[in-house]
Amino acid sequence: MLASCVSWLLTAFVVTTATIPIVAQSFSSEGFSVSYLDRSVDACTDFYQFACGKWLIANPVPADRARYSRLNELADRNARIVRDILENAAFTASSRTPDEEKIGDAYAACMDQKTIEARRAGPLEPLLREIDAVSNREQLIRLAARFSHDGFPSFLTLGAAPDAQDSSVFTAVLGQGAMGLPDRELYLKDDERSTMLRREYEAHVQRMFEILGGGRVLSGPPDRVARAVMDVETAIARGTMDRVEFRDPRRRNNPTTVAQLAELAPNIDFALYFRGTGAPSFSRLNLLNPQYVRDISAALATVPLASWKAYMKWRALDEMASLLTGRFELEQFRFNGEILSGQKEMRPRWMRCSDAVAGQPGADALGELVGKIFIQRQFGPDAKARMDQLITALQQSLRQRLTEVDWMSAETRERALAKLEAMRRKIGGPDTWRDFSAVMIRRDDYAGNSIRIAANDRQRQFQWIGQRVDRSIWLMTPQTVNAYYAPSLNEVTFPAGILQPPVFDSTLDDAVNFGAVGAMIGHEITHGFDDSGRRFDATGNLMNWWMPRDEDAFRERVACVASQYGAYSSLPGVKLNGDLTLGENVADNGGVRIAYYALMELLARKGPPASIDGFTPEQRFFISYAQVWCENASDQDFRRRAQEDVHSPGRWRANGVLQNMPEFRKAFGCKEGVPMAPATACRVW
Ligand SMILES: [Zn+2]
């Protein structure tokens, strides 16, 4: 189950909404390689195709994936290590540490399909009975509180995050409601895809209820109940903020008091709700979206109680489907995997169990317990020291850019430099590990384990409310193939999981490493100065430190990037959203530029190396950068990401950046006017 952590807004390196892609087959996973080049393609016409061409042919999307990229290759290697850790702890170790007992028993419980099948929908039934017993609005609010207490999604979501006005202290955050379709627009628009997905989704909800036993647990026929679920989710979608608006941290910052909430949402007894969640008492909180709270309060008066109960049953069922019998899992896959993402087959059991124990985006599960062992095996002090040096080199390079940009006044420049100085870093994994001793894990209770883990996770978050921010907390597990910048902490984090080929390869030359890991570090650091990150100051407070004319100059520069990427397509007729992907594109552009200059600075000190494989260091840098982004994907996946993902697809993460760089043109001798050297180039940093 996915206990979504709504309150921390991170800017990650790659999309985190999908499941961790892992695969059973043993692929040979090299890092950088000139054997992937398609030399029949002109580097100045389509550099992505030139850098990735042969890799793309050799790596079609496996049947159990929606897409396959070079970072998936890396994740596959990690998955095999994690599997080894889990199987050893579950089945083969002759003596086990307490940590190994927990992760081993959790994994064994998930792999024990016989016991899971025998229990049928049993683990869900107590919750269904509670929902049945609800007979008025007050009881519905109590039920929503109970859902929040246990980390189940519903129409009310509570979390904790650093206070935007004082980021050293955690505040309570009231979020938006949960929906089954991945974007609000899909409920509201009448284009062909939205209409098709709504129809398929409603049929899916109905089938899930039929598997559950139709009339036995429902107040009406499954098709009517599915219709009621759609009514509630459509009301939630209406109140939900648009993805582009949501990127603006000022829109998400709406401090209020519990007392004021009564005026905003007269139909919701928030004092009752907050008490029921198990959160400590508080009087002030932040609303991610006041309009949502207002709308959902109004909907409580107009949408019948029976519909809300149907919605709560559906949320519980959808959340727990993967913990119940194979029939539920298969039907859930048919919609979430096949229809939404174009995935043809379900991933094997061990992978799903590995995700369930070691964590996946949005749900870390027992991931830190696995990560502790992962780090011991995979990440030595040498690697950490080398990363530390690289981050320092990239920070120095951005310092140089900030000093040189000609459009910034001295006042803004000084504050930008101070923010960069104050930026903190985390490498590999946590210094202090999360304590799971309170979570009971049983070898014969897969559903119960998952519920206890999710509840523990939510209660841990609630206990932060009103406390000082503990800066030792990690928001990704060590084995994760990703990285993040947390604007409210002004901090970059690089888990051990991503610090491997093709991102980081200590056996290869500096040019290759600066093109990959260097550009990734540069990307995360630049997030502190993208269109969203720039709104936070050196301490992580949401505070405007820009002089008005510098803001104007900045806006002009990012507008160029927004229209550049808005003109790209991921499939014929499927345009990217230049505003949705703006922050990531600014980070990619800045990241590659500062990595390039960090490399030049290093080579100037060391003396220029000879060409390798017939390519100069500059050329190897750009090939290495582009090769990180080689990817194949289903059409459904490309369409989905064009609507949902704040990152551009791999082709444009590569070509979009390089089209803006005179340094690239020079390295490959591209003449102005060819596709990789357009007449207008955008530049922010
Ligand atoms: Zn990013």
Side-chain angles (χ1 to χ4, degrees):
M1 74 193 262
L2 282 172
S4 52
C5 175
V6 288
S7 351
W8 287 80
L9 292 139
L10 310 173
T11 31
F13 191 49
V14 286
V15 65
T16 55
T17 49
T19 51
I20 289 181
I22 44 179
V23 76
Q25 302 97 306
S26 177
F27 285 101
S28 76
S29 329
E30 289 178 69
F32 169 91
S33 174
V34 292
S35 71
Y36 299 140
L37 301 180
D38 181 350
R39 295 174 194 254
S40 72
V41 174
D42 179 5
C44 296
T45 303
D46 184 347
F47 192 74
Y48 172 79
Q49 201 60 37
F50 168 77
C52 294
K54 292 225 169 119
W55 186 94
L56 293 171
I57 291 167
N59 293 279
V61 182
D64 62 353
R65 305 292 180 86
R67 67 167 165 274
Y68 196 69
S69 70
R70 306 231 49 221
L71 293 179
N72 292 123
E73 283 186 322
L74 204 182
D76 288 346
R77 279 203 305 276
N78 290 354
R80 287 195 291 276
I81 297 161
V82 167
R83 181 189 195 179
D84 191 57
I85 291 170
L86 292 173
E87 299 218 324
N88 179 57
F91 306 119
T92 48
S94 49
S95 68
R96 304 190 297 174
T97 64
D99 286 356
E100 284 171 329
E101 278 172 20
K102 279 222 155 79
I103 58 173
D105 289 347
Y107 184 72
C110 178
M111 291 300 282
D112 181 3
Q113 281 173 281
K114 218 175 129 197
T115 303
I116 294 168
E117 290 293 327
R119 295 182 70 191
R120 306 163 71 94
L124 180 60
E125 270 157 18
L127 198 48
L128 293 177
R129 279 195 294 273
E130 274 184 55
I131 300 169
D132 276 330
V134 168
S135 61
N136 59 41
R137 200 187 293 151
E138 189 197 302
Q139 288 171 357
L140 179 67
I141 299 301
R142 277 186 207 279
L143 180 71
R146 195 266 210 236
F147 268 52
S148 297
H149 180 282
D150 288 353
F152 275 75
S154 83
F155 59 94
L156 295 176
T157 313
L158 184 67
D163 191 320
Q165 284 70 45
D166 176 6
S167 63
S168 68
V169 177
F170 278 113
T171 186
V173 182
L174 192 63
Q176 307 179 121
M179 315 175 271
L181 287 170
D183 193 89
R184 77 184 284 273
E185 308 296 332
L186 296 171
Y187 289 89
L188 308 174
K189 284 197 173 157
D190 282 324
D191 60 286
E192 203 185 320
R193 178 169 174 263
S194 304
T195 312
M196 179 276 286
L197 286 177
R198 273 201 298 278
R199 192 179 58 236
E200 292 284 351
Y201 177 58
E202 193 175 328
H204 162 62
V205 176
Q206 183 182 333
R207 273 193 299 274
M208 288 288 274
F209 277 129
E210 281 164 0
I211 297 171
L212 186 61
R216 196 170 60 85
V217 290
L218 300 175
S219 48
D223 61 330
R224 291 240 318 269
V225 179
R227 186 66 246 161
V229 170
M230 286 305 279
D231 290 344
V232 173
E233 293 198 357
T234 305
I236 289 172
R238 277 205 195 93
T240 299
M241 209 189 289
D242 167 82
R243 280 180 193 273
V244 171
E245 290 173 0
F246 198 76
R247 286 197 57 249
D248 185 341
R250 294 168 305 176
R251 307 272 319 230
R252 303 189 304 257
N253 175 42
N254 307 284
T256 189
T257 62
V258 177
Q260 281 169 336
L261 273 176
E263 261 167 70
L264 189 69
N267 298 328
I268 303 174
D269 183 345
F270 271 107
L272 180 72
Y273 168 73
F274 293 138
R275 262 201 314 279
T277 62
S281 155
F282 53 84
S283 57
R284 304 190 55 80
L285 73 159
N286 182 39
L287 302 182
L288 282 189
N289 179 7
Q291 190 59 46
Y292 175 79
V293 180
R294 207 176 285 131
D295 285 4
I296 214 68
S297 170
L300 279 166
T302 53
V303 179
L305 185 68
S307 299
W308 291 96
K309 289 169 68 175
Y311 165 80
M312 295 302 270
K313 279 188 180 169
W314 168 239
R315 291 272 55 97
L317 174 56
D318 191 38
E319 190 69 359
M320 285 188 64
S322 66
L323 311 176
L324 307 176
T325 63
R327 286 184 70 199
F328 289 106
E329 264 193 301
L330 197 63
E331 173 54 32
Q332 198 176 47
F333 166 75
R334 217 194 52 77
F335 183 74
N336 290 344
E338 278 181 25
I339 294 174
L340 273 181
S341 307
Q343 195 182 332
K344 295 188 183 73
E345 284 173 16
M346 217 193 280
R347 292 170 316 140
R349 184 78 193 172
W350 74 263
M351 292 185 208
R352 289 179 272 138
C353 289
S354 179
D355 281 358
V357 179
Q360 54 187 317
D364 285 353
L366 300 177
E368 278 200 18
L369 294 183
V370 178
K372 225 193 270 190
I373 305 170
F374 181 90
I375 291 251
Q376 282 161 12
R377 290 201 192 179
Q378 290 304 112
F379 198 71
D382 290 359
K384 192 166 184 168
R386 176 96 178 93
M387 257 314 271
D388 201 49
Q389 284 169 1
L390 280 166
I391 298 170
T392 301
L394 268 295
Q395 222 165 350
Q396 166 57 26
S397 185
L398 180 55
R399 186 178 302 124
Q400 192 64 30
R401 289 316 94 198
L402 290 172
T403 312
E404 284 167 8
V405 286
D406 54 13
W407 50 268
M408 249 186 176
S409 68
E411 293 90 333
T412 306
R413 191 190 312 277
E414 196 185 315
R415 290 174 203 147
L417 288 168
K419 178 170 180 178
L420 182 65
E421 263 357 275
M423 195 179 287
R424 302 194 205 191
R425 57 183 77 169
K426 285 178 178 160
I427 305 165
D431 292 325
T432 44
W433 296 88
R434 189 171 159 187
D435 178 12
F436 284 95
S437 56
V439 185
M440 186 184 58
I441 298 295
R442 285 175 43 185
R443 207 175 168 92
D444 62 352
D445 187 12
Y446 176 42
N449 292 342
S450 300
I451 290 168
R452 286 187 290 272
I453 290 168
N456 174 273
D457 195 67
R458 189 48 57 100
Q459 289 304 315
R460 171 179 180 247
Q461 256 194 63
F462 288 163
Q463 295 319 310
W464 293 341
I465 294 170
Q467 303 293 313
R468 286 194 74 75
V469 170
D470 175 0
R471 282 184 161 270
S472 70
I473 292 166
W474 275 60
L475 303 167
M476 275 178 191
T477 65
Q479 59 274 22
T480 305
V481 179
N482 211 336
Y484 64 81
Y485 172 72
S488 53
L489 301 176
N490 191 23
E491 173 184 285
V492 286
T493 300
F494 303 97
I498 199 169
L499 302 176
Q500 301 175 66
V503 176
F504 182 32
D505 189 343
S506 56
T507 66
L508 290 177
D509 48 306
D510 290 324
V512 165
N513 275 310
F514 276 75
V517 70
M520 176 190 70
I521 297 167
H523 172 105
E524 298 306 339
I525 293 177
T526 306
H527 268 314
F529 305 90
D530 72 19
D531 64 311
S532 170
R534 77 171 182 92
R535 300 190 181 283
F536 297 83
D537 71 8
T539 62
N541 291 342
L542 189 60
M543 208 274 284
N544 190 359
W545 46 270
W546 291 65
M547 302 297 281
R549 69 194 145 113
D550 298 323
E551 272 197 297
D552 291 344
F554 180 89
R555 270 199 211 102
E556 209 176 289
R557 280 172 163 70
V558 294
C560 177
V561 176
S563 71
Q564 177 196 357
Y565 284 78
Y568 296 145
S569 303
S570 60
L571 288 175
V574 181
K575 281 260 166 37
L576 302 190
N577 182 338
D579 294 317
L580 180 65
T581 56
L582 181 57
E584 296 301 328
N585 297 331
V586 168
D588 277 345
N589 277 274
V592 177
R593 191 182 302 274
I594 64 174
Y596 179 85
Y597 282 103
L599 174 66
M600 291 305 113
E601 206 270 329
L602 182 73
L603 297 184
R605 267 192 287 127
K606 280 188 170 176
S611 293
I612 306 174
D613 303 323
F615 292 104
T616 64
E618 289 85 354
Q619 290 172 329
R620 286 172 71 79
F621 171 90
F622 291 116
I623 294 170
S624 174
Y625 171 65
Q627 282 191 350
V628 168
W629 300 118
C630 307
E631 69 174 352
N632 281 307
S634 67
D635 286 3
Q636 291 93 327
D637 184 69
F638 275 130
R639 273 178 217 284
R640 235 191 115 149
R641 281 195 283 159
Q643 183 168 22
E644 298 167 32
D645 194 351
V646 292
H647 304 89
S648 300
R651 171 179 299 275
W652 299 117
R653 291 192 81 162
N655 284 357
V657 170
L658 304 183
Q659 285 177 359
N660 288 331
M661 290 185 73
E663 298 85 351
F664 167 80
R665 297 174 188 196
K666 192 168 157 233
F668 284 89
C670 303
K671 301 217 160 42
E672 186 174 308
V674 299
M676 290 304 300
T680 34
C682 304
R683 176 170 175 182
V684 181
W685 298 117

